[in-house]
Every structure is written in structure tokens, then in C-alpha cells.
Amino acid sequence: MSIANRKPFPLALISVGFVIVWVFLAAFPFIWTVWGSFKVEQDFFSRETWWNAVTGLRTIAQTGSAFTGDGYYGAWVTRDFMSSVFNTAIVTVCVVVISLTFGTLGGYALARSGHRYTFWILMAALVFRAMPHITLVSGYLLPFFQMNIWGYLPTSIIVLVAINQPFTLWMLHSFFLSIPKDLDESALVDGCSRFQAFRLVVIPVMWPGVITTGLFSFLLAYNDFAVTAMLLSQPNQTMVPKIASFLGTVQQEGNVMFAVAAVVSATAPLFLLVMFFQRQIVSGLTAGAVKG
Amino acid sequence: MPHRAFFAFILPSLVAMILFIALPIASVAVQSLFVQHEKVVVETETCAPFGGCKKETRVDSDATAKLRHDEPLGKFNGFGTYLDRNHLAVGEIKAILASSTGIGNVVTQIYNLPFYKALSFTLTYTFIVTPFAMLLGFCIALGVNTLPPLAKGPVIFFSLLPMIVTPLVGALIVYWMVSTQGIVGATLQNLFNDPTLSLKSSSVLTWLTLLAYGIWHNAPFSFVVFYAGLQTVPDDTLESAMIDGASRWERIRFVIVPHLMPLATFVALVQLMDNFRVFEPIVGFSADANATSLSWSIYNDLHSQVDQLFGSAAATSMLTITGVIILLSPVLVRTWREFNRR
């Protein structure tokens, strides 16, 4: 540590204290909800004291044990959250694969072409990136009803791929700029066609950038609510719209714990993602910043 | 790269963007000029033997359904939808201004019009959450930067969670905690000794909750970017500033902040774009009685169980798109100038 970073004791204390408060604020809601999802509603939403949710007073009285999986059973089995999980898996995998395929081709072309129109394509992509998704959805609905393709998974997949393209293009464009031009140009000199140069020379070195971009495509598809809520029919719903539909019906029946369990189930994969790919997420967030 | 090869490479991505982003915008523009057909009303005369004849009007549902099926767009309405009470409300505003009794009254009345209500929350959210989240992110970055290396990893892990979590899910998690029976809501009731205290009961409290949620959700992004930026601040400059007698605060103000300025513009741009489309928190907090946003009004028009109001949703969408373009215009103009200079 350099001298410039050395701090007098009180200041260091304040600084560490501030970070501790922030970490608490960031983490506590998740820890609390995960813990509470194993209790009964009268404990997690206790009218008496929140201490009941810690000790599980009512949970013990009702189920005989301090932890119960009733919420999970209700959500996954009774309310068929299982099929939404399956749908989400299909949607996210397809969106990531297709948008990376389109994005690497497009991003590579944008990074290697010096023509004026690349600027316009990138600017259009920036404007498209800023469009609120719900405004686009209001444009889809009527044509999709007419063409009779509303409600199916493939429709949502291709829509999410398209919405994802501007971001993917920008990110991969700046990534390909960091790969030296000489690499594929020497392949061209050796007699490769453009596509061969891409396939044989660029693809082997592009994986770090592709994985980072893929993580963000995954997050977009996984976290989306506007598109999947409006474009999927009831049986094809993915997790997030399913959770939203829980809210209306479940709250009346007094089964809020189903929704809590579903929320925790939907957050768990994201926990794992951050745990394993923290470095890539951080570098992806900053890559755009440093170059954009 | 020759034109042919360029277009061969970019074609799939370009086609996807044109078909599913550019065309829908055009489709929204067209839809906004139409309104749904009114119900077909038929007038029938029924004559009872003694009571004389009565004229009755009733809705011909078959004919209505047929008409709506044949012309799904509805009938042409020009800019009528834009000007009606649910959008720009030109007539209503004129009436309010004409009968004005003081500025506060005018503002309240205009705020009660649905479009302006949504617009005011959207703008407040955008322009309060963005700077505060950036400030909080910057402070966290400064704090984390002085931690021992071993502690940094876990701190960054937990800091990323509020940002990475699905917006709707994050909103629900916080909402359950601040609801009257949740841990925070119940504690606040005890603290203020007011059993009726509820964050949903007044607009001010709802707005504050949503803004606080927005800052919590957005701060990690600024934190990560600024933290990465802090790693590149040259030590030499900092030390020479120290030798020149700069205090700790002056070093932050005159060395670190200018160094991070380009990153700050980037973060501000991304956050403005994302916050302007604020939508999921309103659904998650079920806050629509006290706070609505432009995105939420579009969703509400499309989601209604009885009639989907395509025309109304499309008009709001067009107004939202105009807003996005106004928001982006400084950036677009600057990029255009830089591009021309090259």
C-alpha cells in the first residue's frame, strides 16, 4: 500500500464502518428472505414481532420443526413452478446461443470495417439500446396476434435476441477492437477468405470476450419481465412472469410463502452465477466503461 | 473490409434488429393514430300490445366482434389519442390554466392527470436515483479500495447482488421486508409508536421507498465501474499532490474525481437510460396507487383484462420514445461532432 492511501485511525474506522453498513444493506434482504422462506407465513410476516421469524415459533407449532419446505412444495408442485423453470431454461439457453452467434459475426464486422456506415449502425444500436422494452412490446402485440405467433416460446426467444443485439454488438465490437488486426490480416495474406480467417484465427482467441458478453445476455434473458409477461401464454410462462402471476392469486389464498419460495428459487441460480463468474462480470461492466 | 463481406457478417444481427426493433417502433407509430372501434349500437323498436312503442338501444356484440376482427387496428383517429385526457390532455390543461387559483392548485390538478402523474414520477426517479446511486457507488468504491486484499472478494460478491438480482424479484424481497408485517415495516411502526404507519399509505412514503430501492439497486454498478477506475489512478500523481500539500479531501477532489470523470459520464448515460424505463419496482411494490411510470402505464393499457388499449399504449410509447431521444440527444450530438472531427 502506498503512502497516499495511508489513513489516520478515525478515518479508517469510518471508512471500514461504512463498507460494513453497505455490505449489510446489500446482503441482509437476501439472507433474511432465504431464511424466512423455510418458515410459515405467520412467522415470516409476523404480526407480533420479527423475532418469531428467527426462532420459528409458529413454524414449530404448525409443522413440528423449525424449518419447513411447505412453501417450496406449494410453489414447485402444487402451483407448477417446475414448468416455468423448464421454460426459463429453454429461453435463456436459446437466447444466449443465438445472440452470441449473431453478435460475434456482427461485432467482428463492425470492428474490422472502416466504412462510415459502421458509425451509423453503432449509433442506431445505442438508440435501440435505450428504448424501454415495453414500448417495443406494444408494437409487437397486434402484429403477433394477426400472424398467430403470440404466446409461443420461439417468438419470445427471437424477440429477446433482437432486444439483446444492440448491447451484444457494442460489447463484442469493443472486444474485437482489442484483438490485433494483424492477426486476421496475416491469415488473409496467407490466402484465407474473410470467413475462414474468422473461423480459424479469430474464434480460437475470442472466448474471454464471448463468455463475458454471454453472461450479460443470460442476465437479460433471465431477468426480463416486460417481454415474457406480455408475449407468453399462461402455460408457456417463464419464472419471472409466473412469480408476478402468483402475487395476484396467492395473496388472496393466504399462501404468500409460495411466492417467497419461488422468489428464492429464482434468485439461487444468480447467486451461483455471481460466485463463479464474479471476475468476468466485473471486467464486463468495466470493459464497456473504459472503452465506450 | 469490403462491403459484401461486411454485410454478410452483420446481416443476421441487422435483420433481427430491423424486424424486432425498428419495425415495431414503426408499428407503434401507426397504432398510435388509431383507436379501437366503438361498440356497434343498434336501435330497435319494440311494440307492446298495450304500452305503445319503445325505442331501445343495445350493443350488438356479434357485429362489434366482427368489426374488431376485420379491422384490428381500429378506426383512424389522427392525433386524437395524443391529445386526450389520458395523454397530453391539452383541453384539460387549458381548462385548468383558465380557472387557475394559484400555482399550487394548478400543479396539483395537472399532477392528477394520468400522463403527467406517470411523467413526474419517471423524471423524479431518473434524476434522483442516478446521481445518488453514483455518489453512493463512489463512496463504496473509496471505502473498498482501502480494505485489505483478502476482504475485497467477499465484499464485491455481496455488493453485486442488489444489481444482478431480477428487478421484479429484488423489488419483492424489499417490499416484503418493508410491508407492515415485514421486519422493517413492523420495526418502524414500533419505533414511531404508530400502528397505522405504512409505507403504502401516502404518496410521499411510497415515492421515498421506491427511490431508496432504486438507489440500492443501482449503486453497485457505479461502485464496480468506479472501483475499477480507482485501480488506474496513478500513485505518482497522488503522492506529488501530497508533497504539494494537498489535503486528503483535496486529493479526492482534484486528482481522483477528474481521473474518474470519463467513467462517470458513461455510468450516468447507462443509468439514465435504465432508470427512465423504471417499471418492475412499481409492479413489485404494488405501488401503482401512488406512483406510476410511463412504462407502467403502457403495461397497464396492454394488460387490462377487458380490452387491450393498443392505441392508448402506442401513444404513450411514442411519447416515451420522444423522451428517450431528448435524454440521449446531448450524447448523440457529442458523438456526432467527435466522429466528424476524426
Side-chain angles (χ1 to χ4, degrees):
Chain A
M1 191 185 276
S2 76
I3 314 165
N5 279 338
R6 204 171 294 155
K7 289 185 177 182
F9 183 69
L11 191 64
L13 206 66
I14 291 174
S15 149
V16 170
F18 178 73
V19 172
I20 291 175
V21 169
W22 160 250
V23 169
F24 176 78
L25 283 179
F28 179 70
F30 297 100
I31 297 169
W32 178 252
T33 310
V34 171
W35 175 268
S37 70
F38 292 101
K39 305 289 173 190
V40 294
E41 191 186 333
Q42 285 83 353
D43 274 337
F44 188 52
F45 296 99
S46 176
R47 283 173 208 278
E48 292 142 28
T49 159
W50 56 267
W51 188 246
N52 278 355
V54 179
T55 56
L57 188 71
R58 297 294 178 84
T59 317
I60 296 172
Q62 283 180 25
T63 64
S65 143
F67 297 96
T68 169
D70 285 357
Y72 290 90
Y73 184 83
W76 281 69
V77 181
T78 318
R79 298 295 302 272
D80 199 23
F81 190 62
M82 195 99 79
S83 63
S84 327
V85 173
F86 190 61
N87 287 332
T88 300
I90 298 177
V91 170
T92 46
V93 168
C94 293
V95 168
V96 169
V97 170
I98 302 175
S99 55
L100 284 181
T101 314
F102 287 13
T104 39
L105 291 171
Y108 174 71
L110 287 173
R112 288 295 183 264
S113 169
H115 293 293
R116 215 176 161 76
Y117 45 67
T118 57
F119 170 80
W120 289 111
I121 294 177
L122 283 171
M123 277 302 106
L126 182 67
V127 176
F128 288 162
R129 156 81 172 77
M131 289 297 147
H133 299 166
I134 193 86
T135 61
L136 299 175
V137 169
S138 72
Y140 300 136
L141 278 178
L142 207 51
F144 283 5
F145 282 144
Q146 293 303 302
M147 289 186 274
N148 236 336
I149 53 172
W150 180 87
Y152 303 109
L153 286 180
T155 316
S156 298
I157 290 172
I158 192 69
V159 163
L160 283 172
V161 165
I163 286 184
N164 211 352
Q165 272 311 296
F167 173 77
T168 319
L169 277 183
W170 265 95
M171 191 122 170
L172 285 168
H173 159 248
S174 59
F175 175 73
F176 280 121
L177 282 181
S178 73
I179 294 182
K181 243 182 180 165
D182 312 345
L183 209 62
D184 34 324
E185 269 166 14
S186 56
L188 289 178
V189 172
D190 287 349
C192 280
S193 73
R194 248 313 157 179
F195 191 73
Q196 278 172 326
F198 177 72
R199 197 166 56 95
L200 299 171
V201 179
V202 177
I203 286 185
V205 297
M206 72 178 186
W207 293 111
V210 169
I211 289 174
T212 309
T213 317
L215 281 172
F216 286 91
S217 306
F218 170 85
L219 284 178
L220 179 128
Y222 190 88
N223 287 345
D224 170 83
F225 174 61
V227 172
T228 45
M230 301 306 301
L231 292 187
L232 286 174
S233 59
Q234 197 92 27
N236 285 338
Q237 268 175 346
T238 52
M239 282 200 271
V240 182
K242 183 82 170 184
I243 290 172
S245 74
F246 272 10
L247 295 179
T249 54
V250 156
Q251 236 137 20
Q252 289 155 1
E253 295 161 15
N255 281 330
V256 190
M257 293 321 287
F258 290 6
V260 177
V263 156
V264 173
S265 316
T267 324
L270 294 175
F271 267 58
L272 296 177
L273 188 85
V274 181
M275 219 176 268
F276 288 110
F277 294 103
Q278 182 174 331
R279 192 175 295 271
Q280 281 85 351
I281 293 174
V282 169
S283 77
L285 286 175
T286 47
V290 177
K291 289 165 197 140
Chain B
M1 194 184 255
H3 299 295
R4 259 182 75 100
F6 176 78
F7 281 103
F9 269 99
I10 206 163
L11 195 69
S13 155
L14 211 55
V15 167
M17 287 203 294
I18 290 175
L19 275 183
F20 292 102
I21 302 182
L23 277 186
I25 293 176
S27 150
V28 166
V30 173
Q31 281 181 44
S32 68
L33 301 178
F34 288 82
V35 281
Q36 192 171 41
H37 286 292
E38 278 145 27
K39 293 188 169 104
V40 180
V41 176
V42 282
E43 201 167 81
T44 46
E45 207 176 45
T46 44
C47 292
F50 298 105
C53 286
K54 267 195 306 192
K55 275 192 180 168
E56 268 183 353
T57 53
R58 64 182 182 83
V59 175
D60 186 342
S61 54
D62 288 345
T64 312
K66 187 177 181 310
L67 186 64
R68 286 186 181 171
H69 178 77
D70 291 344
E71 295 173 31
L73 258 185
K75 63 172 187 235
F76 186 74
N77 191 32
F79 286 101
T81 316
Y82 287 94
L83 304 180
D84 73 5
R85 189 180 180 283
N86 287 323
H87 298 89
L88 291 176
V90 177
E92 281 76 6
I93 288 194
K94 268 186 200 148
I96 291 170
L97 290 178
S99 67
S100 74
T101 50
I103 187 96
N105 188 345
V106 171
V107 171
T108 331
Q109 285 194 45
I110 293 182
Y111 173 75
N112 281 329
L113 296 165
F115 175 76
Y116 293 97
K117 191 175 171 183
L119 185 69
S120 50
F121 179 73
T122 312
L123 289 179
T124 315
Y125 187 87
T126 313
F127 288 104
I128 289 196
V129 167
T130 309
F132 278 95
M134 285 172 68
L135 189 68
L136 178 61
F138 179 64
C139 294
I140 302 168
L142 283 179
V144 172
N145 201 30
T146 56
L147 289 179
L150 208 62
K152 283 179 180 170
V155 168
I156 295 177
F157 169 77
F158 286 116
S159 302
L160 282 176
L161 291 178
M163 173 189 67
I164 235 89
V165 71
T166 313
L168 183 76
V169 164
L172 280 173
I173 288 177
V174 175
Y175 171 63
W176 285 327
M177 288 177 69
V178 299
S179 74
T180 48
Q181 287 158 26
I183 172 167
V184 177
T187 310
L188 285 179
Q189 282 183 353
N190 280 335
L191 216 60
F192 291 99
N193 207 5
D194 175 7
T196 59
L197 180 74
S198 152
L199 292 173
K200 270 174 95 171
S201 60
S202 82
S203 304
V204 180
L205 286 177
T206 313
W207 280 42
L208 285 178
T209 323
L210 285 169
L211 293 176
Y213 167 77
I215 295 171
W216 179 76
H217 179 66
N218 283 304
F221 178 63
S222 319
F223 155 61
V224 169
V225 174
F226 289 143
Y227 176 70
L230 281 180
Q231 310 306 309
T232 63
V233 175
D235 268 347
D236 299 349
T237 323
L238 276 179
E239 273 165 30
S240 46
M242 251 175 104
I243 293 166
D244 289 348
S247 71
R248 189 168 301 278
W249 163 247
E250 282 168 339
R251 266 177 279 151
I252 292 183
R253 171 72 189 79
F254 294 107
V255 180
I256 296 183
V257 170
H259 183 79
L260 295 182
M261 224 38 197
L263 293 184
T265 13
F266 161 81
V267 175
L269 171 70
V270 172
Q271 303 249 293
L272 284 178
M273 288 196 294
D274 287 350
N275 289 333
F276 192 72
R277 56 174 97 149
V278 51
F279 166 49
E280 282 101 337
I282 294 174
V283 179
F285 280 84
S286 24
D288 47 281
N290 293 318
T292 57
S293 74
L294 294 175
S295 290
W296 184 86
S297 347
I298 301 169
Y299 171 79
N300 192 39
D301 280 343
L302 294 174
H303 201 67
S304 66
Q305 298 295 322
V306 195
D307 278 326
Q308 289 181 307
L309 303 167
F310 293 115
S312 169
T316 316
S317 298
M318 286 312 285
L319 294 169
T320 312
I321 290 174
T322 319
V324 169
I325 299 214
I326 293 174
L327 212 61
L328 268 186
S329 55
V331 183
L332 294 178
V333 169
R334 211 188 63 179
T335 328
W336 168 237
R337 284 210 191 112
E338 274 175 14
F339 177 71
N340 274 341
R341 233 181 284 142
R342 263 193 280 160

